[in-house]
Amino acid sequence: MTEKTAQPDASQGRARWLVASVAFACFLCMLNTHTINIALPVIAQHFQVDTGMVARVTLAYLMTMTCLLLVFGKLDDQLGLKRLFISGYGLFTAGSLLSGIAPSLGILILGRAVQGIGASMLLTTGTAIIARHVPPNRRGWGFGIQGAFSAAGAMLGAPLGGLITQYAGWHWVFLANVPVCILAAVLAKWAIPVEKPSAPARQVMATFDWPGAGLSFAGIFLLLSGLNMGRKLGWASPAILTCFATGVLLLLLFMVRERKCAAPLLNLALFRDRAFTCANLAGMAAFMVMTGSNFLMPFYLARYKHQSAAATGFVVMLFSAVFLLASPIAGRLSDRIHPARLCAAGMACAIAACIILQLTLQMPGLMPALVFLGLFGFSFAMFASPNNNQVMGLAPPAMAGTAASVFRTAGTFGSASGLALFEALFSMAPPRAAVAADPAAMLASGFRAAYGFGALLCLAALVLSLAAGRLANWQTIQAHRKEIKP
């Protein structure tokens, strides 16, 4: 794709609808990640299966979505963003319909996998669409709106899933997507500018790096499988160690192939830009903390503060609510202020939030949790959209799809590993003697260990964000974006 075709070409009015279309896709993907969790017990009862089997309904969606990000990032750059984005809606619709009418658990899992393919296309392509077609002075605003819609999907997913499951049945958790996706695809077809593919589709598919795609898919799948099953099987079990070792080996082979391949799936030239690498690593560290905290906080409220499930659900919504309100503001600020400074400020607030929780978690009442969740939500709103803006601003225009897939994959790895590490630190921190002597002290010790680790990760994200800012002159990047031939 030439430099000319890569330049933003959406008018201000059209840009609003374009961003709305992309943001709604993120909302839909996040909503479906959370609505299904409430319906899982009913689905297990309907098909007469145990929790281990029904968990595959969620894993099929998440694993398929994650493992294909790099593949669709490359196809975005070759076939055109609009084509892939609307095709993503088509697959998401088909997967939703198949899941809603599924006569067996196996068909439901297949439908969720198809949904995951569609979600992977939507998430990767959506980020690249904003980077390529929204004017540079409004790009942060676009990512802020996208982040706000994602937070809204996460916040509304559980209560909406509960209402639909209770009053309409679990089938409608999926079937309700069908008319919504059709309308959203119509909006996307109108709002997103048409791009000329770099080559005919048949030629693209014939020269596509299929071996690289297979190696990356298998490597990412094994690593995520190890992270997902580690708590159940034991982190030192042969199965988990084999998953990790084989996954790392396959990804190393993937990197070797990409260096030698004439048309690589992932152009490693992207990582020669140290600012781009630092910004992605900062995002990975931050997502580790956010997901780990979102996993542990309900346990703090339920086990340590003895709150009911309903009360716990409403309290943890504070994080998403603050994120939802602050994200558009942070995104807009990143159009005027160097994004690295906003990322660093956000992580400084997150460090303060973790330390405050460590010092106050044994205080009576819910105030420690409320203060932490409010400050934590603000911190990550200040980080997420500016970090997204920084990463995509550092990427060459013709490689927006690939850069978006790298950004999304880094975030997913951060989320999966953060959950695993927070759980492990929480479980292993207290000595065994403390369990029998004082269970409350054991819990407090576990929470302090996990959030102390979280503060260190936030510090790493802060340093990496500042390093990315110092390595790249943001004004120069915005005015003269470099081109790396894919």
Side-chain angles (χ1 to χ4, degrees):
M1 186 172 292
T2 65
E3 182 70 21
K4 183 178 180 180
T5 59
Q7 293 301 317
D9 54 7
S11 66
Q12 184 168 327
R14 181 66 66 88
R16 292 193 182 97
W17 288 107
L18 182 149
V19 170
S21 177
V22 169
F24 184 77
C26 291
F27 170 81
L28 197 64
C29 293
M30 290 301 296
L31 190 75
N32 276 265
T33 301
H34 292 82
T35 52
I36 188 60
N37 292 334
I38 303 300
L40 286 179
V42 178
I43 293 173
Q45 184 178 8
H46 178 85
F47 290 114
Q48 296 296 302
V49 295
D50 59 21
T51 54
M53 286 294 294
V54 81
R56 298 178 185 179
V57 174
T58 297
L59 290 175
Y61 176 78
L62 294 175
M63 300 283 277
T64 307
M65 178 177 66
T66 303
C67 293
L68 291 172
L69 289 171
L70 291 177
V71 173
F72 290 127
K74 179 66 173 180
L75 290 176
D76 284 345
D77 293 330
Q78 294 183 314
L79 296 179
L81 299 174
K82 182 173 184 175
R83 177 187 295 186
L84 268 292
F85 190 72
I86 294 175
S87 298
Y89 266 128
L91 284 172
F92 199 92
T93 303
S96 298
L97 181 61
L98 183 60
S99 299
I101 64 173
S104 66
L105 184 65
I107 299 298
L108 175 56
I109 292 171
L110 175 62
R112 287 288 281 170
V114 175
Q115 262 193 324
I117 297 172
S120 186
M121 297 170 77
L122 290 170
L123 291 174
T124 300
T125 310
T127 300
I129 285 171
I130 293 178
R132 186 173 292 170
H133 292 300
V134 175
N137 64 338
R138 292 172 59 81
R139 197 169 293 139
W141 161 81
F143 287 129
I145 298 297
Q146 185 186 36
F149 272 66
S150 297
M155 183 173 65
L156 298 175
L160 190 59
L163 289 172
I164 293 174
T165 302
Q166 181 172 344
Y167 293 107
W170 68 265
H171 300 275
W172 284 98
V173 170
F174 304 107
L175 293 176
N177 292 325
V178 175
V180 174
C181 284
I182 293 172
L183 291 175
V186 172
L187 172 62
K189 187 173 179 62
W190 172 80
I192 300 172
V194 177
E195 297 175 346
K196 184 180 179 181
S198 61
R202 183 176 298 179
Q203 181 181 337
V204 169
M205 301 310 287
T207 59
F208 190 73
D209 182 17
W210 294 108
L215 287 170
S216 68
F217 183 96
I220 293 171
F221 180 84
L222 287 171
L223 287 180
L224 289 177
S225 296
L227 289 169
N228 276 299
M229 297 187 300
R231 286 179 292 147
K232 180 178 179 181
L233 301 180
W235 294 108
S237 66
I240 298 303
L241 293 177
T242 300
C243 275
F244 286 140
T246 308
V248 170
L249 176 61
L250 290 175
L251 289 179
L252 289 174
L253 292 174
F254 168 68
M255 300 291 281
V256 171
R257 173 176 172 79
E258 298 309 280
R259 288 182 179 276
K260 299 178 180 179
C261 183
L265 179 70
L266 177 61
N267 191 335
L268 299 179
L270 270 174
F271 298 100
R272 293 176 192 159
D273 187 338
R274 291 182 295 168
F276 178 84
T277 302
C278 286
N280 275 288
L281 289 174
M284 181 183 291
F287 275 105
M288 289 175 70
V289 183
M290 185 176 72
T291 306
S293 176
N294 288 344
F295 169 76
L296 268 191
M297 185 51 59
F299 288 91
Y300 171 68
L301 292 167
R303 294 186 180 178
Y304 195 83
K305 294 296 183 180
H306 307 292
Q307 297 296 304
S308 67
T312 296
F314 278 108
V315 171
V316 297
M317 280 177 65
L318 179 61
F319 171 85
S320 297
V322 174
F323 190 103
L324 172 64
L325 294 173
S327 183
I329 299 172
R332 193 67 181 122
L333 283 173
S334 73
D335 290 327
R336 304 172 182 175
I337 302 172
H338 198 308
R341 296 176 185 173
L342 293 173
C343 292
M347 287 298 95
C349 289
I351 293 170
C354 290
I355 294 173
I356 289 171
L357 182 65
Q358 284 184 303
L359 296 175
T360 63
L361 61 85
Q362 288 183 292
M363 290 175 58
L366 294 176
M367 189 55 67
L370 294 172
V371 170
F372 169 79
L373 288 168
L375 185 55
F376 210 57
F378 175 79
S379 302
F380 276 86
M382 292 298 292
F383 176 87
S385 299
N387 178 249
N388 199 343
N389 193 11
Q390 180 166 243
V391 169
M392 298 308 297
L394 291 165
M399 297 180 66
T402 301
S405 69
V406 171
F407 174 75
R408 291 284 181 182
T409 304
T412 303
F413 265 120
S415 296
S417 56
L419 190 153
L421 289 170
F422 266 61
E423 190 277 334
L425 285 167
F426 172 71
S427 300
M428 297 187 300
R432 291 187 177 274
V435 176
D438 188 353
M442 179 270 291
L443 288 172
S445 176
F447 288 123
R448 285 198 182 94
Y451 282 98
F453 176 66
L456 292 176
L457 285 174
C458 291
L459 178 61
L462 186 156
V463 172
L464 287 165
S465 295
L466 290 177
R470 289 174 181 172
L471 288 167
N473 185 313
W474 185 248
Q475 298 301 325
T476 302
I477 289 169
Q478 296 297 73
H480 308 287
R481 289 171 52 156
K482 296 178 290 184
E483 180 76 22
I484 300 175
K485 292 183 180 179

